[in-house]
Amino acid sequence: MTPSPAPRMPAIGLLLSSLLIVGGPASAQSPEDHSTPPALLAAACANCHGSDGRGAWPIASIAGRPYTELLRQLTAYRNGESLDDATVMPRLMAGYSATEIETLARWFSSLPVTPETAAETTP
Amino acid sequence: MTRTPIDRRQALRWLGGAGAASLLAACGGRAPEASAGTGNTASRGARVVVIGGGFGGATAARYLKRLDPGLHVTLLEPAERFYTCPFTNLYLGGLREFESLGHDYQQLRRLGVNVVHALAEDVDPVGHSVTLAGGERLPYDRLILSPGIDIRWDALEGYDRAAAELAPHAWKAGAQTHRLKRQLEAMEDGGTFVLVAPANPFRCPPGPYERVSQIAHYFKTHKPRSKILLLDAKDAFSKQGLFMDGWRELYGDMIEWVGLSGDGRVVRVDADRLEVETEFGTLHRADVLNVVPPQRAGFIAERAGVTDASGWVPVNPRDFSSAQVEDVYVIGDATEAAPMPKSGFCANAQGKVVAFAAAASLAGDPAPEPVWANTCYSVIGPDYGITVAGVYRVIDGQIAEVPGSGGVSPRGADAGFRRREARYAAAWYQAICEDTWGTVV
């Protein structure tokens, strides 16, 4: 039932573009920050959460979840808290900066929840 | 939100198939607007050839095409259906059907990747072309090698191709895996399974230890009087404490591990007698003998001139370009990427970094700042999973684990934690296969 990834890309590109801009002034870089493109940063999450943030149970689907919720969760992981039965996430998020976590939260909150939503945006 | 109009223009440009540049721009880095046009025109029609359709190569091809549909991406892979090494241990343990580990290339084709089921026999790095087994030559602007491993048939006395028919390595998924499974099924209850583990580096550092775990599960459910002996050429291994805890909890004293200093290093194999000899002359006889031999990069890496004296491939950390040959990138188990392990997960992560780097390079831009993550799941029993995780970046010019990140599952965690990691392992497999081949398991 997986639709071709191709139709999803326009939606991602669209959202990505918004990330680049929204990230603007707020993302002044601290010394620990890196300049990895958001798309590449987010690609590191796909190994477990799926190419477009739709994980297979019981790994969470993160596409389209509210930004504030994702930010709160990822930040908690980064601070070493284990929420919602997570096992690996605190160990992984400890390797990311606060700015990167904001970027990831924006990225995944912007993705469509279902492939059907994405397909609708296909030109 | 005052910037929405720029945002919209960006989006429309992308919807029009504007290319990779807007995706390559760093968050907070140079303005994506400035480069969007140039990136597109510079890379349009460029030819990228990817050799190897496993976790590294298929991911690189898929992400290149997703990044820039205008690129001509050819993926060379002899197999029409690719069977993953990850989870073959679960097949041996009886937790998984072999067919569930196979993936085809239909989704990559739908995306526009030119998938060619042929063996790449040679590379001409000066003329920028790849020669196929049939003699056909494919020109490239950038070449991505994801050749996996080859067995070093000359590295362990008595262990050659003929020996592997009797004492399988089963370190590449396929006929060897089936052979080992049949031997385990044919073995009498009360028999001894011996696994010979190599020194570092080798494909899948936790692999031998997950394998004995899964075979112990099979024995426990079918042949409970059987024994497992693991003869190891090293004194420490991946997730050692967690594995040993799990073995004790689930399998009692069924598994015996003998490390290097306990005379665990095997120096000679007699496959006819299913016998191995260790460094100090101890003979061990097996009913089923599984030899995981020393390895090196897949042969096409040597043909391309990217290997060094070790048999592995040195790469530039930032973009996994070859340290020796221009316009060639190398990813996956073949590379010297320590501290990143030789895992399918890392190959997939490297495939993405290389997709971005190659697209940038074709557009005349520097490779973006990389970040890689890895999680190696090992399934000790049906409800007992463990992990080691890591986040890696280029620090002082070297690949390094980000301080304070990563590490293994906690010792002494409760049964619920272990059960969750076993469930997550299955979901991880599904996700990474989708991310690599576009397939759903």
Side-chain angles (χ1 to χ4, degrees):
Chain A
M1 282 306 291
T2 314
S4 161
R8 300 183 206 158
M9 278 310 281
I12 291 170
L14 186 153
L15 296 157
L16 171 61
S17 311
S18 71
L19 294 177
L20 290 166
I21 305 307
V22 173
S27 65
Q29 306 231 315
S30 69
E32 61 160 343
D33 280 328
H34 311 273
S35 52
T36 307
L40 183 54
L41 197 63
C45 309
N47 313 52
C48 293
H49 291 280
S51 299
D52 301 317
R54 292 186 284 273
W57 185 89
I59 291 181
S61 264
I62 48 179
R65 294 256 296 273
Y67 167 76
T68 48
E69 181 189 320
L70 287 175
L71 182 65
R72 181 181 56 78
Q73 280 190 308
L74 294 178
T75 304
Y77 292 140
R78 184 167 182 259
N79 295 334
E81 294 172 43
S82 202
L83 305 172
D84 302 325
D85 291 342
T87 62
V88 182
M89 284 302 289
R91 286 177 262 160
L92 291 174
M93 283 300 105
Y96 291 82
S97 72
T99 307
E100 286 175 326
I101 281 177
E102 285 173 29
T103 302
L104 289 171
R106 278 202 195 87
W107 175 272
F108 287 106
S109 67
S110 305
L111 294 186
V113 178
T114 64
E116 288 70 28
T117 328
E120 282 166 18
T121 66
T122 306
Chain B
M1 290 302 113
T2 53
R3 293 165 183 253
T4 302
I6 302 170
D7 181 8
R8 284 292 295 163
R9 284 206 301 278
Q10 285 273 322
L12 291 171
R13 192 173 290 138
W14 176 254
L15 287 168
S22 61
L23 280 161
L24 291 165
C27 180
R30 74 197 158 89
E33 269 242 300
S35 61
T38 53
N40 178 35
T41 49
S43 61
R44 183 167 295 258
R47 299 155 305 181
V48 182
V49 173
V50 183
I51 299 181
F55 283 104
T59 300
R62 186 164 182 260
Y63 272 78
L64 271 169
K65 210 60 188 165
R66 292 188 75 167
L67 260 175
D68 190 345
L71 288 174
H72 293 296
V73 181
T74 299
L75 176 64
L76 300 174
E77 164 58 45
E80 291 186 17
R81 195 168 164 79
F82 185 94
Y83 291 89
T84 65
C85 277
F87 275 30
T88 52
N89 289 331
L90 278 67
Y91 163 67
L92 294 171
L95 301 185
R96 194 94 196 188
E97 294 295 323
F98 193 74
E99 273 312 308
S100 76
L101 311 181
H103 307 276
D104 65 30
Y105 294 91
Q106 284 182 31
Q107 293 298 328
L108 287 177
R109 284 204 172 91
R110 282 183 65 182
L111 202 55
V113 176
N114 175 33
V115 182
V116 178
H117 293 300
L119 181 72
E121 235 176 31
D122 209 353
V123 173
D124 173 2
V126 178
H128 281 60
S129 73
V130 176
T131 306
L132 305 184
E136 190 188 342
R137 288 165 78 94
L138 288 180
Y140 67 80
D141 296 303
R142 297 291 183 278
L143 176 64
I144 298 174
L145 297 177
S146 186
I149 57 145
D150 273 358
I151 304 297
R152 289 182 56 195
W153 295 111
D154 57 350
L156 178 57
E157 187 186 338
Y159 198 71
D160 55 15
R161 283 188 177 80
E165 302 292 297
L166 302 168
H169 55 77
W171 220 241
K172 294 184 177 194
Q176 279 276 309
T177 319
H178 293 302
R179 186 176 300 276
L180 179 57
K181 173 93 164 161
R182 281 197 303 272
Q183 291 181 351
L184 290 164
E185 284 168 355
M187 193 188 89
E188 301 275 339
D189 187 10
T192 299
F193 169 73
V194 176
L195 187 144
V196 176
N200 295 323
F202 64 99
R203 162 178 280 179
C204 192
Y209 315 96
E210 183 187 57
R211 176 163 293 177
V212 296
S213 309
Q214 284 294 320
I215 290 173
H217 171 71
Y218 169 71
F219 285 167
K220 185 179 174 182
T221 44
H222 293 89
K223 297 165 185 181
R225 296 189 298 115
S226 307
K227 288 287 177 195
I228 295 174
L229 176 63
L230 206 170
L231 297 170
D232 209 329
K234 52 197 172 300
D235 269 329
F237 60 85
S238 174
K239 294 178 266 192
Q240 184 164 357
L242 290 165
F243 269 114
M244 290 186 149
D245 290 349
W247 293 345
R248 254 192 316 277
E249 284 175 45
L250 298 182
Y251 309 116
D253 59 358
M254 183 186 278
I255 300 170
E256 182 188 358
W257 174 76
V258 181
L260 175 68
S261 51
D263 194 23
R265 189 168 84 90
V266 167
V267 295
R268 187 178 64 81
V269 175
D270 184 337
D272 289 318
R273 297 167 64 92
L274 296 182
E275 201 171 74
V276 296
E277 182 179 347
T278 61
E279 199 170 8
F280 295 105
T282 311
L283 293 175
H284 297 277
R285 227 200 135 266
D287 294 292
V288 175
L289 177 59
N290 179 192
V291 178
V292 182
Q295 300 148 26
R296 63 178 169 216
F299 83 98
I300 196 68
E302 201 177 311
R303 302 296 307 164
V306 295
T307 53
D308 65 17
S310 72
W312 303 105
V313 178
V315 290
N316 295 309
R318 187 179 170 102
D319 60 1
F320 275 63
S321 59
S322 162
Q324 299 174 183
V325 179
E326 265 187 57
D327 296 333
V328 178
Y329 299 86
V330 191
I331 48 179
D333 294 348
T335 59
E336 298 167 17
M340 294 181 79
K342 296 187 187 303
S343 70
F345 198 120
C346 282
N348 166 286
Q350 292 158 8
K352 293 166 190 170
V353 165
V354 159
F356 276 75
S361 161
L362 286 166
D365 291 329
E369 181 78 31
V371 57
W372 304 271
N374 178 63
T375 303
C376 286
Y377 285 92
S378 296
V379 182
I380 299 181
D383 292 318
Y384 200 116
I386 58 173
T387 53
V388 58
V391 179
Y392 305 90
R393 296 180 191 271
V394 178
I395 302 173
D396 297 330
Q398 302 289 323
I399 299 171
E401 188 158 2
V402 177
S405 74
V408 298
S409 317
R411 296 284 291 273
D414 63 20
F417 195 97
R418 304 285 185 240
R419 191 180 312 112
R420 287 201 296 281
E421 294 221 297
R423 301 282 179 277
Y424 291 148
W428 159 76
Y429 184 82
Q430 188 168 331
I432 197 171
C433 291
E434 187 239 345
D435 194 40
T436 302
W437 294 280
T439 56
V440 169
V441 182

